[in-house]
Amino acid sequence: MSTLVYDIGLHDGMDTGHYLRERSRVVAIDANPVMCAAAEANFRDYIRTGQLKVINRGVAEHKGQFEFWVCDDVSEWSSFHPDIASRNGVKHHAITVDCVPIIDIIDEFGVADYMKIDIEGNDRICIAGLTCATASKYISIEMDYSQGDQDIRRLFELGYRGFKVICQNNSWHQVTIRNIGFYQWGPNHFIIRRLRRLRAAVSKRLSGRRLGESGPWGERTSGSWHSVDHAHSVWCLLHELDERLGTQGLGWWWDIHARK
């Protein structure tokens, strides 16, 4: 039987497209109706065969209608949090969307093999709504610089015992306490830029993915699985570095991957 993947935060459909090409069944969820309509048009053949289900809903603590902020200039910043959708003074506007708890989705479609969560500020709400029985075998969540320790702790409570922190800007490279010094140079250092271009070319050839996608999942992710303590130590180092850099910030995008 094919694997079941939940793409929570469909956005432009790049991740969903890759999961489909890997022959997974996909449930793709997004609060932005424009993104959902585009996915329904682009993936209509997969929808027709039943391999893909697109759901235009937000994930929230409770069922209901809530205000969602669409970022007009940078679509991936669209969020239920206006401070995220309006960062750097970009144009944004509010719409009202239907929302459901994540458990409602799982009750309808089943427990997934992998759940990708990237919903700009509501990621924690999603994992808070899971139980040990409904959490997927593999999961990934965008790392929160300031409070990522809470997410790591929650994933451990859900039964996850293997962890990886993956740098999305560096061709899905695993970050450990041993190689953390590489990232202290910052993403704009000329050596980092050259290495990123090289890694991006190699990754595209090997995996067929493009930078901007969430990258491989499960056993295809970079490096070895580590303990929850190791994941927490990596987050602490990145958190301290982000605070030290101040307004410049880290400038990187990280995901926390976990497996049961």
Side-chain angles (χ1 to χ4, degrees):
M1 183 181 294
S2 60
T3 55
L4 174 60
V5 173
Y6 284 171
D7 186 357
I8 304 176
L10 162 70
H11 187 233
D12 59 10
M14 283 202 299
D15 290 331
T16 283
H18 209 96
Y19 304 145
L20 292 169
R21 290 190 291 274
E22 291 177 333
R23 299 187 178 180
S24 295
R25 294 176 293 125
V26 182
V27 177
I29 306 162
D30 205 285
N32 191 332
V34 174
M35 294 300 177
C36 289
E40 288 172 344
N42 293 336
F43 301 124
R44 56 184 176 274
D45 291 340
Y46 292 103
I47 293 173
R48 185 164 52 246
T49 63
Q51 189 179 345
L52 171 65
K53 176 68 176 180
V54 177
I55 301 175
N56 182 202
R57 296 287 187 275
V59 174
E61 293 182 85
H62 308 288
K63 184 179 295 186
Q65 291 191 325
F66 298 94
E67 196 170 61
F68 180 74
W69 295 87
V70 176
C71 183
D72 302 300
D73 295 333
V74 187
S75 58
E76 59 264 38
W77 290 354
S78 298
S79 172
F80 285 98
H81 304 272
D83 57 322
I84 294 178
S86 64
R87 72 182 79 167
N88 299 337
V90 295
K91 293 181 180 179
H92 60 290
H93 68 277
I95 62 173
T96 300
V97 299
D98 293 326
C99 296
V100 295
I102 186 59
I103 193 63
D104 286 11
I105 303 295
I106 296 172
D107 284 345
E108 182 174 357
F109 297 100
V111 177
D113 296 281
Y114 169 58
M115 181 181 290
K116 183 213 90 176
I117 308 171
D118 187 352
I119 47 177
E120 298 301 315
N122 270 22
D123 307 60
R124 191 164 297 131
I125 288 176
C126 189
I127 60 173
L130 297 172
T131 66
C132 292
T134 59
S136 55
K137 180 179 180 180
Y138 296 97
I139 196 169
S140 69
I141 179 172
E142 185 174 5
M143 193 187 78
D144 183 338
Y145 291 156
S146 61
Q147 297 179 317
D149 56 330
Q150 295 182 22
D151 299 328
I152 293 171
R153 189 182 312 118
R154 176 57 182 161
L155 292 174
F156 187 79
E157 291 172 352
L158 290 170
Y160 294 98
R161 294 297 181 265
F163 292 83
K164 297 182 183 183
V165 178
I166 303 291
C167 182
Q168 301 294 351
N169 305 76
N170 190 25
S171 304
W172 317 294
H173 180 250
Q174 184 186 22
V175 187
T176 69
I177 56 177
R178 291 187 175 183
N179 66 21
I180 193 73
F182 173 86
Y183 296 94
Q184 293 178 344
W185 283 343
N188 294 318
H189 192 283
F190 75 95
I191 294 178
I192 300 297
R193 291 200 303 268
R194 290 183 180 180
L195 287 173
R196 282 173 59 189
R197 284 196 292 269
L198 176 61
R199 289 180 64 87
V202 172
S203 294
K204 184 175 181 180
R205 174 166 294 186
L206 293 178
S207 69
R209 294 181 183 271
R210 297 172 292 169
L211 289 180
E213 296 182 32
S214 290
W217 62 274
E219 300 305 323
R220 297 179 182 177
T221 47
S222 168
S224 302
W225 296 99
H226 293 274
S227 69
V228 64
D229 291 337
H230 183 276
H232 185 265
S233 295
V234 172
W235 170 81
C236 284
L237 291 169
L238 293 173
H239 171 66
E240 292 169 4
L241 179 59
D242 184 58
E243 287 196 328
R244 190 162 65 247
L245 291 173
T247 55
Q248 178 185 353
L250 276 170
W252 301 89
W253 165 28
W254 319 82
D255 277 351
I256 299 169
H257 284 252
R259 75 169 182 182
K260 290 189 172 180

